[in-house]
Amino acid sequence: MNKHFRNLVVGAGLSGATIARKLAEELNQEVVVIDAKNHVAGNCFDYRDENGIMIHKYGSHIFHTNNEDVWSFLKRFADFNQYMHKVVAIIDGIETTIPFNFNTLYNVFPKTMAKRLEEKLLGRFSYNKKIPILEFKKQDDEDLKYLADYVYEKVFLHYTTKQWGVSPNDVDGAVTARVPVYLSKDNRYFQDKYQGIPLQGYTKMVNNILNHPNIEIRLGLKYKDCNEKWDRIFYTGAIDEFFDYKFGQLPYRSVKFKFEEHDREFYQQNSVVNYPCNYDFTRIHEYKHYLNDKSSKTVIAKEYSEAFEVGKNERYYPIPNDTNETLYAKYKEEAEKLENVYFLGRLGDYKYYDMDKTVYRALELFNKVKEE
Ligand code: UDP
């Protein structure tokens, strides 16, 4: 109906694919999706290696959501397994689970001490409560203060310093609050209603989202090399780069993965093992756990965090704090002055979105734009 209306979507990750599909399908408009990389799916790109193991190239991606709209949208493009993520952590050589919960408490302390702490916790807080570590640290009871300092030091301090380059006090509290102290015996990392891994991988899911007659994909193409006339642009790249860094660069953390192939069936008992007290990597991923891939070999990746530098590595995490929010607000103000250019996604919005939030943001933006 409106095929002469031309949309450009910059970035073929989850945000770009979602908005492209909605425009193509519901408005019947032409959509060209470009990506500087030579593959779709952005940082949730995965592929099967020669051993038949599905590798998440940019680190483990575990889908989880409570959002019905997001779930029903994605379910059209992929069947998911019922994988429920758990994270094993090595704390002073003891293998336990994260988030720190009652099971962790009994794993790391002698039984009588754990029992005393458990009783104190339940005397003060309700069962199942999730408490961000920075809040948990504000204890007046001596035993609970000891426990809070222990958890801060053993779970958060070194991991956060490795991951963000600063201590937990110097990153936004929302970051460490993603992994709260959990007064429960539930060892899952997420409690969302819907959780799982797409059975044929994220790349296939994103390809399915993009598979529509009104959508054209052009890979290996940068926005600045795409000088055509567009009626609307949806930009999922970094907002500061779009404006040529005119107010300065928005900081990001990057990640480096050192892949290893091992000639044995399993390297570790779990998909992700965190090392909050030891080594200079933060965690080790073992990919075959996600889809229960069968192979006599296994592939792991050690994850190292580092500062993002233009031209050297890739943006993974916006760094939420007041200074960066203020800088982002300047770019956002510039963005709002533009007509028919919209920003979305982790890099476009400079927000630490999970995959489901990214999809939701695109669905919401579509609902807004279609009314315009
Ligand atoms: N975190 C930590 N120790 C852990 C796990 C997480 O200190 O063992 C903190 C750390 O600051 C991390 C944040 O909690 O960046 C959020 O963790 P999450 O696993 O959600 O990060 P992601 O998987 O997005 O990298």
Side-chain angles (χ1 to χ4, degrees), residues 98 155-156 159-160 163-164 178-179 189 274 283 317 352:
I98 281 194
V155 178
F156 290 94
Y159 189 103
T160 300
Q163 167 66 22
W164 298 96
R178 288 168 59 92
V179 188
Y189 209 56
N274 282 13
R283 50 191 171 185
Y317 297 90
Y352 188 174

Side-chain angles (χ1 to χ4, degrees), residues 36 54 144 154 177 185 205 208 210 223 243 251 255 300 306 324 334 336 349 355 357:
M54 188 71 88
L144 291 185
K154 300 294 182 187
K185 289 189 166 187
M205 179 176 81
N208 288 345
L210 290 167
Y223 172 64
F243 289 107
V255 181
I300 62 147
E306 59 187 16
N324 298 346
E334 286 296 287
E336 279 161 3
D349 286 340
M355 287 184 282
K357 299 290 182 310

Side-chain angles (χ1 to χ4, degrees), residues 40-156:
V40 301
N43 278 12
C44 61
F45 174 75
D46 55 12
Y47 62 95
R48 279 203 188 278
D49 74 354
E50 63 278 11
N51 304 307
I53 300 170
M54 188 71 88
I55 308 290
H56 297 189
K57 184 173 177 190
Y58 305 95
S60 289
H61 280 69
I62 299 112
F63 186 78
H64 58 100
T65 193
N66 281 320
N67 188 300
E68 301 287 343
D69 293 342
V70 169
W71 183 241
S72 55
F73 178 76
L74 291 179
K75 282 280 288 172
R76 292 176 50 206
F77 307 105
D79 291 324
F80 288 75
N81 67 9
Q82 282 151 24
Y83 175 85
M84 290 192 191
H85 193 45
K86 291 178 185 165
V87 170
V88 167
I90 314 288
I91 298 178
D92 291 346
I94 298 165
E95 223 170 74
T96 182
T97 50
I98 281 194
F100 194 98
N101 64 17
F102 286 130
N103 295 324
T104 328
L105 185 73
Y106 277 88
N107 285 156
V108 299
F109 293 120
K111 201 170 165 195
T112 46
M113 188 173 169
K115 194 158 177 29
R116 191 171 80 240
L117 290 166
E118 182 183 24
E119 280 164 6
K120 284 218 164 165
L121 285 165
L122 290 175
R124 177 148 311 193
F125 305 101
S126 53
Y127 188 71
N128 258 337
K129 189 168 168 59
K130 290 179 173 171
I131 316 170
I133 184 62
L134 297 182
E135 199 183 301
F136 191 57
K137 281 220 351 157
K138 296 174 193 156
Q139 300 292 340
D140 36 34
D141 177 275
E142 209 171 292
D143 282 344
L144 291 185
K145 174 138 188 43
Y146 170 84
L147 176 63
D149 288 345
Y150 176 91
V151 177
Y152 179 83
E153 153 86 23
K154 300 294 182 187
V155 178
F156 290 94

Side-chain angles (χ1 to χ4, degrees), residues 56 58-62 85 257 271-272 285-287 290 303:
H56 297 189
Y58 305 95
S60 289
H61 280 69
I62 299 112
H85 193 45
F257 293 98
S271 54
V272 177
H285 308 254
E286 185 174 36
Y287 296 105
Y290 291 124
E303 179 174 341

Side-chain angles (χ1 to χ4, degrees), residues 254-303:
S254 187
V255 181
K256 209 161 50 198
F257 293 98
K258 289 198 180 151
F259 285 86
E260 294 172 15
E261 184 178 299
H262 290 265
D263 206 1
R264 61 198 224 216
E265 199 181 356
F266 287 103
Y267 181 87
Q268 59 194 27
Q269 49 143 319
N270 196 54
S271 54
V272 177
V273 177
N274 282 13
Y275 288 82
C277 310
N278 299 86
Y279 308 113
D280 43 0
F281 49 82
T282 49
R283 50 191 171 185
I284 300 180
H285 308 254
E286 185 174 36
Y287 296 105
K288 67 194 306 190
H289 293 277
Y290 291 124
L291 291 170
N292 206 10
D293 296 325
K294 303 292 178 215
S295 170
S296 59
K297 297 191 175 169
T298 192
V299 173
I300 62 147
K302 292 179 178 156
E303 179 174 341

